[in-house]
Amino acid sequence: MCGIFCVHKHDGDIAAFKPQALELSKKIRHRGPDWSGNVSRKSTILCHERLAIVGVDTGAQPLVSRDGKIVLAVNGEIYNHQQLKKTALKQPYDFKTHSDCEVIIPLYRDYGNDFAGMLDGMFSFVLYDEEKDAIIAARDPIGITTLYIGRSSAAPDTVYIASEMKCLAPVCDSIDNFPPGHMYDSATGQLKRYFSPSWLVSNEIPRNKLDLTAIRETLEAAVHKRLMSEVPYGVLLSGGLDSSLIAAIAARKTAIEQAKQAAGESDAIASWPQLHSFSIGLPGSPDLLAAREVAKFLKTIHHEHTFTLEEGLDALSDVILHLETFDVTTIRASTPMYLLSRKIKAQGVKMVLSGEGSDEIFGGYLYFADAPDADEFHRECVGRVSNLHLADNLRANKSTMAWGLEARIPFLDKKFLEVVMNTDPENKLITKQRKEKYILREAFDTPEDPYLPHNILWRQKEQFSDGVGYGWIDQLRDEAERQVSDAEFASATPDQWIDSARGTEDRPQTKEAWWYRKMFDAHFPNKACATTVKRWVPKSEWGCNADPSGRAQKTHEARYDLSNGQQA
């Protein structure tokens, strides 16, 4: 994964603007510390900050076609690039690099704008066509990569696109999240959806029969394709169900690939003889203990890191700067992940597998137990998946890329989504007899060849911000009490949080949320920046507690009493 920045139809001399463009691109150099590149054509400039993982020696960007007329800047990975080269191209193409992303250029040549659905991967890209003097841009189906689009009222014909909002804030007074599964065409000025599975765009409730074998096999395939790498990789291991399953599959696939390579039967991927796993938490936290057990079972080389409450608090402002959000649950979970990512990068790793997405597609959050029926359960799953780019995907991407570490997310594989999201939601319901994510646990409950220890496979859902140590959220709540006085919290809503045009205001409902919003505004005083943020709380109409912590839900085994913040 990398960082991209594009300005199209600049109102002025592009050569004179180039130094400013490079300064704006430099704001996301943490995403691509390995190399920087830029290409200018007419009134357009594309900038690229590279993290080299595939095509390390030859894949510097922006990529330019042989005739120089097509320029491409990509953030992400195209897992099926070899297959596309063999079966999708209508005529031969002389590739200049080994980059997995270069295949986009001949696909555009052969299919125009109708090729994004062919790509299997996580990606954001901007492609400039000099003959048309136009750009197209697209984002992966679920928004695993981050992307923003902005405009300025001072130059209404100019379009700005970047991997992070901080590139756009100094020059745009209108900034939006680029929607996942869409392509933008500057020739029409329109965004068009290219990812339209029935489970996402239809109001019908799926009724496919439960197929545990399909769930297991498609997840295994999703993990396997994400091992495509020319640099050492590892796995994030919290000790929860999701990350543990990803680690278990990765350990098996890594062993198989190592054996094939030893026999000269496999394309090379970069891995150590044993899979490395990484975890973080407060000393003695639930996640550290569980991760240690999983690592021992899987025989990974395990790296256990701890952080103090003071270290977490000290990092908060930087975390908000990198995340570009003030959502409470995202910040709570991102801080330990941000700290861990720095440790991982220091150990020479550039890519990790992570377990995001499972709770959204299986309805694994504890508040799903309050769903009134299967239909509402499914609709909530669809809504959560649709908003992942504003929450967990944003966290996984920006917490890691703050240090030039790429996180890949197997649970959001297109084929796996097709299987799980089309399964009759009656099978996903949480009951007294069936834990959350019951069908995922069942699919991998193979006693004859176990993937995980039984107690880990059936461990209750623990949100990452809770699992790193219950003291973390408690400390955040206590510190917010110190940072935001009762008088300030009762004062009039700041002008920065009021939308005069719409007659609305975005007033935080807790001191913790108020504190985070103040830090966000210090980094991003441009009011357009706040419009890209979405706060999340469990569904009040289901009778759920408004606190996003898993421990605030009544089914948690260590729930706390919100009246005094103590464990119930």
Side-chain angles (χ1 to χ4, degrees), residues 293-489:
E293 180 180 355
V294 174
K296 183 178 180 180
F297 181 85
L298 298 179
K299 297 182 173 59
T300 65
I301 305 298
H302 190 53
H303 307 271
E304 182 177 294
H305 299 287
T306 60
F307 73 102
T308 66
L309 294 173
E310 183 178 9
E311 288 170 336
L313 292 174
D314 288 345
L316 274 178
S317 180
D318 286 344
V319 168
I320 291 171
L321 172 64
H322 281 286
L323 289 183
E324 303 175 327
T325 187
F326 44 80
D327 174 59
V328 169
T329 189
T330 303
I331 294 168
R332 286 175 172 181
S334 293
T335 304
M337 195 171 190
Y338 171 87
L339 296 172
L340 177 60
S341 296
R342 187 176 191 180
K343 296 279 191 179
I344 294 172
K345 187 61 183 292
Q347 292 174 252
V349 175
K350 283 187 176 182
M351 187 273 281
V352 290
L353 302 183
S354 192
E356 280 77 16
S358 174
D359 290 309
E360 285 76 13
I361 64 178
F362 286 102
Y365 293 110
L366 298 185
Y367 80 92
F368 272 89
D370 296 317
D373 54 47
D375 289 7
E376 285 301 306
F377 189 105
H378 174 74
R379 292 188 184 100
E380 179 68 0
C381 284
V382 172
R384 292 302 303 266
V385 173
S386 300
N387 285 323
L388 268 169
H389 66 291
L390 303 171
D392 281 19
N393 284 356
L394 179 149
R395 167 178 60 81
N397 184 283
K398 291 182 179 177
S399 297
T400 54
M401 289 301 287
W403 303 107
L405 176 69
E406 175 175 295
R408 298 181 180 177
I409 306 178
F411 279 112
L412 297 181
D413 179 81
K414 285 198 296 184
K415 291 184 179 179
F416 188 66
L417 284 169
E418 194 68 17
V419 171
V420 178
M421 294 301 290
N422 282 311
T423 297
D424 189 331
E426 288 284 351
N427 297 287
K428 299 181 184 179
L429 289 176
I430 303 170
T431 68
K432 291 182 178 180
Q433 292 74 36
R434 300 196 308 181
K435 270 185 185 284
E436 71 281 353
K437 294 182 285 194
Y438 180 83
I439 60 176
L440 177 62
R441 301 173 195 271
E442 277 286 294
F444 286 90
D445 194 354
T446 55
E448 68 284 356
D449 184 21
Y451 285 78
L452 293 170
H454 188 267
N455 64 304
I456 297 294
L457 186 65
W458 294 94
R459 182 188 177 199
Q460 185 181 49
K461 163 68 185 173
E462 193 78 89
Q463 287 178 212
F464 186 56
S465 53
D466 290 318
V468 296
Y470 293 157
W472 171 234
I473 290 180
D474 296 341
Q475 180 71 17
L476 289 172
R477 287 151 53 101
D478 291 345
E479 184 64 24
E481 285 290 332
R482 289 188 285 270
Q483 294 289 336
V484 181
S485 68
D486 290 343
E488 180 183 357
F489 192 59

Side-chain angles (χ1 to χ4, degrees), residues 91-105:
Q91 53 185 302
Y93 182 79
D94 185 13
F95 287 91
K96 296 170 63 176
T97 75
H98 296 119
S99 169
D100 54 295
C101 299
E102 190 179 3
V103 72
I104 291 173
I105 294 177

Side-chain angles (χ1 to χ4, degrees), residues 44 61 113 128 152 169 178 246 305 309 406 413 426 461 504 532:
T44 297
Q61 295 192 41
N113 294 0
Y128 174 72
S152 170
F178 194 107
I246 298 303
H305 299 287
L309 294 173
E406 175 175 295
D413 179 81
E426 288 284 351
K461 163 68 185 173
T504 60
T532 68

